[in-house]
Amino acid sequence: MDDCLNYEQTQRFSNLILDYINQKSSLSSFYHRFPDTQNFKSQILEKQAQYNNEHRAVLVDVLNRQYQGFKVSDSTQNHIDTLHQENTFTITTGHQLNLFTGPLYTFYKIITVLKTCEQMKSRYPQYNFVPIFWLASEDHDFEEINHFYFENQKINWSKKASGAVGELETDGLKSVLEIFDKALPQTELANQLKGLFREAYLNHKSLSQASIYLYNNLFGSKGLVVLEPNQKPLKSCFKHQIKAELLQQITFKKVNSTSKALKAQNYHEQVTPREVNLFYKDKNLRERLILKNGTYFVNSTQLAFSKEQILKEVKNNPEKFSPNALMRPLYQEVLLPNLSYVGGAGELAYWLQLKSTFNSFDVPFPMLQMRNSALLLSGKTKGKLERLNLDINDLFQSKIELKNQQTRKISEIDIDFSSQKTHLSKQFEALYKIAEQTDKSFLNAVAAQEQKQHNGLDKLEKRLLKAQRRKLADGIDRSVRLQDKLFPKGQLQERIINFSELYLTYGKQFISLLYTEFEPLEFKFSIIKLETKLSSINHKFVSNCI
């Protein structure tokens, strides 16, 4: 069994992302530097020359105050302290405040960042590299974050919610814990999971505070720094860009131009810009700003500002201006001494719309680094694959493709009519020779008859395949059930399952083992086969392209 796949083999990624990973030359104008070890040095020198080092003091002060009341590891505190130094840079990822961390790929993002920092420190010891997890606390789409899946059960938080999700109070989560408790087995690791959920959500007032606790508990020992960006001192560092966006609509103009250029190469636009790419935020409110006839209106409210009033509001209350998906990257890069952003395919697709916007704001465009992806297999699953004579690549096919493939494998009848089609074509060769000696209409008639005969064979082949699928349903269904288990809801495993399913078997060790196995700059899809016994897994994970 292969230990990794090219992203093309998974059939799950857009042409835009595949072409980016393969560094297709026609895409080079849409990004700055491709993330490799050598380019990190060039990125360091550029960021060092252009970063506003006054932001360092603000950043460190905010982080120290943010972490008050939390147990901070020596590694995390050291990372915060080193941000004062001009030779310190960040590598960043971020995510929404999904309940109990949401899908597993959130862990993959974080581990990619941690591992990249470690490798860059080894390569460039004269610099410091701080791993940042940026909480998307200002998002307001509660329905996207109010649940997680545990063994195909949707654990849901029902609540009337409005405004920035990070400010939501955690009331009502006691009942969610009760539902989760009933789904869990009675084991020590299950008790640890319940304790983690209880401490995070029942002992912290806001969703942001709960999320800081959760990620700090899971990744603090490896030095992860969690950043809550929805804070006035941090927004004050972004005032200049907020004003420019309000007055000049730079993002709207530049992204529209870039999107046209991407569409000209048959790539789809990921995010459509608005004239003003900012929200107005207040208690229980986050609504987009609309510019109309020189007045700034707050959507779905009675609030409106003249040009003078909106600029005064930026000066006095910058925290009330919240960037949307296209402005948030700029906020991050203005605030942080950042080198690389680690994201999934969808995120990188909208980042690829932003380089000209960054150029207009005179902010260095970061390297765009695809996070690690993986399919995790238990030893039991590996055994099933072998018994069913399946290669892991087979399971990335569509369901009907998998059924047809397995039908052909299992069937004692040869369902492939290729030899018959070849024989048929040879029979028509003689007719074509005769046709060439007469008029064109007869030649066309021969060609039409050949096509008719080939179509007939295709239909017979499909009917035979369908009949054999019915006859051999039991054997085929075992392959389909295995595919359904590894690709829940027809999606990549990492997009659905929650870390808790792995924690029940491996505890926190699975984080360290993924950390060991991931190679951030290889840009491959890993297949990781897990040992089944907790005591035996320290050195028995197998993965990566060696």
Side-chain angles (χ1 to χ4, degrees):
M1 189 185 302
D2 289 337
D3 294 319
C4 68
L5 305 176
N6 292 323
Y7 282 105
E8 288 90 344
Q9 291 175 279
T10 69
Q11 304 178 50
R12 305 287 173 138
F13 295 86
S14 70
N15 287 334
L16 175 61
I17 292 304
L18 295 177
D19 289 346
Y20 173 67
I21 291 169
N22 293 323
Q23 301 181 62
K24 187 175 178 180
S25 59
S26 59
L27 265 181
S28 60
S29 63
F30 299 100
Y31 61 93
H32 191 30
R33 294 184 180 93
F34 191 79
D36 60 38
T37 302
Q38 189 61 42
N39 281 341
F40 267 91
K41 181 61 181 291
S42 301
Q43 195 75 20
I44 286 169
L45 296 175
E46 181 180 21
K47 191 70 178 185
Q48 198 167 39
Q50 294 186 248
Y51 179 65
N52 183 347
N53 279 302
E54 292 179 3
H55 293 174
R56 290 185 182 276
V58 177
L59 189 58
V60 171
D61 181 62
V62 165
L63 285 168
N64 280 324
R65 284 189 287 107
Q66 173 195 288
Y67 271 97
Q68 286 178 2
F70 293 97
K71 184 178 180 181
V72 185
S73 71
D74 291 343
S75 183
T76 294
Q77 188 60 56
N78 179 63
H79 278 150
I80 293 172
D81 294 342
T82 59
L83 282 167
H84 272 302
Q85 302 169 18
E86 293 186 14
N87 66 336
T88 298
F89 299 90
T90 62
I91 296 171
T92 302
T93 192
H95 200 62
Q96 296 167 294
L97 275 63
N98 292 69
L99 187 61
F100 214 40
T101 76
L104 189 57
Y105 68 75
T106 306
F107 278 55
Y108 294 176
K109 283 178 159 186
I110 293 171
I111 293 168
T112 304
V113 167
L114 293 168
K115 190 72 175 282
T116 304
C117 285
E118 178 191 81
Q119 291 182 349
M120 290 307 107
K121 182 62 176 176
S122 177
R123 178 66 178 83
Y124 302 110
Q126 68 272 37
Y127 299 105
N128 303 311
F129 302 88
V130 175
I132 297 285
F133 185 72
W134 179 286
L135 291 179
S137 57
E138 295 181 64
D139 284 1
H140 59 262
D141 195 338
F142 182 66
E143 298 301 316
E144 286 190 2
I145 62 117
N146 70 344
H147 62 276
F148 67 96
Y149 288 94
F150 177 75
E151 295 183 348
N152 297 318
Q153 179 182 351
K154 188 177 183 180
I155 311 290
N156 196 71
W157 178 21
S158 296
K159 179 184 177 73
K160 288 185 177 180
S162 60
V165 295
E167 297 172 357
L168 292 175
E169 294 187 356
T170 54
D171 57 297
L173 280 165
K174 184 178 179 181
S175 60
V176 176
L177 176 57
E178 291 170 356
I179 294 168
F180 188 33
D181 187 9
K182 290 177 182 177
L184 287 167
Q186 298 300 310
T187 67
E188 176 56 34
L189 289 173
N191 289 336
Q192 290 179 22
L193 277 175
K194 286 183 283 188
L196 182 60
F197 190 102
R198 182 183 299 107
E199 182 63 33
Y201 294 107
L202 274 57
N203 293 338
H204 294 89
K205 189 175 181 180
S206 72
L207 190 56
S208 277
Q209 288 290 300
S211 299
I212 293 169
Y213 173 84
L214 192 58
Y215 288 109
N216 183 58
N217 181 283
L218 291 165
F219 296 100
S221 64
K222 295 191 178 297
L224 183 71
V225 176
V226 183
L227 177 60
E228 157 60 281
N230 182 20
Q231 302 191 53
K232 186 172 184 176
L234 301 181
K235 288 288 181 65
S236 293
C237 298
F238 195 53
K239 283 182 182 179
H240 170 74
Q241 290 78 18
I242 293 172
K243 289 178 184 177
E245 178 67 12
L246 289 167
L247 299 179
Q248 301 173 45
Q249 295 82 58
I250 293 171
T251 306
F252 178 73
K253 296 168 186 173
K254 293 299 181 180
V255 172
N256 270 336
S257 176
T258 300
S259 296
K260 288 178 182 177
L262 285 167
K263 286 178 182 177
Q265 295 191 38
N266 297 316
Y267 299 122
H268 296 294
E269 181 182 49
Q270 187 74 10
V271 181
T272 302
R274 298 188 182 278
E275 193 171 5
V276 177
N277 291 277
L278 293 164
F279 292 91
Y280 187 80
K281 188 179 71 64
D282 210 339
K283 187 173 177 60
N284 299 322
L285 172 72
R286 187 178 184 251
E287 288 287 348
R288 61 190 178 91
L289 282 162
I290 300 170
L291 177 59
K292 188 175 181 181
N293 299 324
T295 300
Y296 296 87
F297 296 91
V298 180
N299 191 45
S300 301
T301 75
Q302 299 299 312
L303 293 171
F305 301 89
S306 67
K307 174 183 172 181
E308 292 73 20
Q309 288 172 328
I310 201 86
L311 292 179
K312 184 178 180 181
E313 189 77 344
V314 173
K315 180 180 179 181
N316 295 331
N317 300 298
E319 73 280 6
K320 291 189 176 183
F321 294 85
S322 178
N324 71 358
L326 289 171
M327 278 289 284
R328 189 211 63 76
L330 185 68
Y331 176 35
Q332 171 192 296
E333 296 301 314
V334 166
L335 188 62
L336 299 175
N338 197 51
L339 305 174
S340 170
Y341 182 76
V342 172
E347 290 175 284
L348 296 198
Y350 75 72
W351 275 87
L352 286 167
Q353 295 177 247
L354 294 175
K355 185 187 172 189
S356 61
T357 304
F358 273 69
N359 291 343
S360 294
F361 281 100
D362 198 27
V363 176
F365 195 59
M367 291 183 290
L368 305 180
Q369 188 176 341
M370 187 78 165
R371 66 168 171 83
N372 281 98
S373 286
L375 180 66
L376 308 181
L377 305 178
S378 67
K380 186 177 179 181
T381 300
K382 181 186 173 185
K384 286 182 180 179
L385 283 167
E386 292 170 352
R387 288 193 294 276
L388 291 168
N389 193 24
L390 277 169
D391 187 87
I392 192 62
N393 301 35
D394 299 332
L395 297 181
F396 284 87
Q397 302 177 97
S398 68
K399 198 174 291 310
I400 188 62
E401 288 171 337
L402 177 62
K403 285 182 176 180
N404 289 343
Q405 174 194 282
Q406 290 304 95
T407 301
R408 289 187 169 97
K409 278 186 181 180
I410 299 170
S411 176
E412 296 178 358
I413 302 171
D414 186 3
I415 303 173
D416 186 355
F417 283 10
S418 297
S419 60
Q420 288 88 341
K421 292 172 187 176
T422 300
H423 182 67
L424 180 66
S425 295
K426 287 181 178 178
Q427 287 183 315
F428 270 87
E429 286 177 6
L431 287 173
Y432 278 117
K433 289 178 181 178
I434 295 171
E436 288 169 357
Q437 299 174 29
T438 182
D439 60 47
K440 187 177 179 181
S441 63
F442 185 65
L443 186 66
N444 291 339
V446 171
Q449 185 62 33
E450 182 185 19
Q451 187 60 54
K452 183 178 179 181
Q453 296 291 327
H454 275 283
N455 290 342
L457 282 174
D458 286 340
K459 288 179 181 178
L460 284 173
E461 187 177 17
K462 288 176 182 177
R463 288 189 66 177
L464 178 58
L465 185 60
K466 188 176 181 179
Q468 285 296 93
R469 277 207 313 264
R470 287 196 300 267
K471 182 179 179 180
L472 304 170
D474 287 345
I476 295 165
D477 286 348
R478 285 197 293 273
S479 300
V480 171
R481 286 195 296 272
L482 183 59
Q483 185 187 51
D484 288 340
K485 182 179 179 181
L486 292 176
F487 294 82
K489 300 182 182 296
Q491 297 193 51
L492 289 175
Q493 179 192 68
E494 63 192 36
R495 301 197 65 82
I496 299 292
I497 73 167
N498 182 260
F499 83 96
S500 54
E501 292 187 32
L502 292 163
Y503 197 101
L504 284 176
T505 302
Y506 308 110
K508 278 190 178 180
Q509 287 188 29
F510 90 91
I511 296 174
S512 297
L513 290 163
L514 290 176
Y515 183 88
T516 300
E517 298 303 328
F518 280 163
E519 286 299 330
L521 301 179
E522 282 190 354
F523 305 113
K524 300 287 186 180
F525 191 101
S526 298
I527 308 299
I528 300 179
K529 291 152 275 184
L530 308 174
E531 296 291 338
T532 55
K533 293 182 180 179
L534 185 63
S535 61
S536 66
I537 61 177
N538 283 331
H539 303 289
K540 292 190 178 180
F541 266 45
V542 183
S543 77
N544 298 316
C545 302
I546 299 172

